[in-house]
Amino acid sequence: DLFETLRGDRASIVTDEIEAFTETGIALRSGAHLDADVVVTATGLNLLVLGGLEMTVDAVAVDSGKAVVYKSMMLGGVPNMAFTFGYTNASWTLRADLVAEYVCRLLKHMDANGFTVATPQAPDPSLPTEPFLDLTSGYVQRSLEVFPKQGITAPWRINQNYVKDLRLLKHGPIDDAIDFSTTRRPESSGSVGPESVPVAA
């Protein structure tokens, strides 16, 4: 029903910013006015990294806003942790499937070699980084500083491209820019956050 209405002439979509509410509707920043009997607000969404999870490594808090993403699913300097964040321009499950397959490959590699810890090594901090997402939506822009960064080259680049990820995650090497050990995590070459703020995970 929604799409039929939008395709017809009974509804229209306006992209703008709200300047103020009026007695008869909404005044927009562009100067236009939208007449409205009812206004439903839906602008308060705040994104949470990993659902608000507080991470620590060796009792040191991980500042997710300073971390760099590894292969779109792990964080530099954080051992044995993977997450799924789907594509912004395609089906979410396309990347979810690739991440699941990669994690299985990683676990099999660790098991075959007797490793218990896998830690992506953070890239050289002098290298440039970019925001985790390239979307301009207000709710995304408000949260970018708490999201990890991405690098400009693989394996630190987040591809919004299934074919590139297929080559990287399904057929690419399993041990590039990642350290394996049998005890604790290797010392990271880059910082993932302040080293003097221990918190409980």
Side-chain angles (χ1 to χ4, degrees):
D1 292 346
L2 171 64
F3 293 112
E4 288 179 1
T5 300
L6 292 176
R7 280 194 296 267
D9 58 1
R10 293 187 298 154
S12 61
I13 298 174
V14 176
T15 301
D16 208 321
E17 295 182 38
I18 297 174
E19 183 68 33
F21 290 95
T22 69
E23 291 183 3
T24 58
I26 299 173
L28 301 177
R29 187 154 294 178
S30 64
H33 186 275
L34 293 180
D35 294 329
D37 297 318
V38 176
V39 176
V40 179
T41 59
T43 59
L45 176 63
N46 291 310
L47 299 178
L48 291 175
V49 179
L50 300 176
L53 175 73
E54 292 183 345
M55 295 180 290
T56 63
V57 176
D58 295 339
V60 176
V62 175
D63 184 345
S64 59
K66 294 182 179 178
V68 181
V69 173
Y70 173 80
K71 293 187 177 179
S72 76
M73 75 181 80
M74 300 178 79
L75 299 180
V78 179
N80 292 1
M81 192 277 292
F83 62 92
T84 297
F85 197 100
Y87 293 109
T88 59
N89 60 0
S91 170
W92 188 277
T93 55
L94 287 174
R95 180 180 280 153
D97 287 346
L98 289 177
V99 168
E101 289 185 39
Y102 180 87
V103 170
C104 288
R105 286 181 62 208
L106 180 63
L107 292 173
K108 288 179 180 178
H109 175 79
M110 293 172 67
D111 187 54
N113 292 277
F115 298 129
T116 57
V117 181
T119 308
Q121 293 302 286
D124 185 338
S126 67
L127 295 175
T129 59
E130 296 181 356
F132 184 84
L133 295 170
D134 59 357
L135 302 178
T136 58
S137 306
Y139 70 92
V140 171
Q141 294 296 311
R142 287 196 303 270
S143 303
L144 281 181
E145 65 182 33
V146 299
F147 268 75
K149 306 297 185 284
Q150 64 169 310
I152 58 173
T153 59
W156 308 104
R157 184 76 181 169
I158 300 176
N159 298 312
Q160 297 298 339
N161 184 303
Y162 177 75
V163 175
K164 288 183 178 180
D165 277 346
L166 187 66
R167 289 196 296 263
L168 176 68
L169 302 181
K170 194 166 185 176
H171 304 292
I174 199 74
D175 57 356
D176 55 331
I178 191 166
D179 282 337
F180 296 96
S181 73
T182 56
T183 53
R184 62 183 299 279
R185 73 182 181 101
E187 291 301 324
S188 173
S189 62
S191 174
V192 295
E195 296 186 356
S196 58
V197 191
V199 298

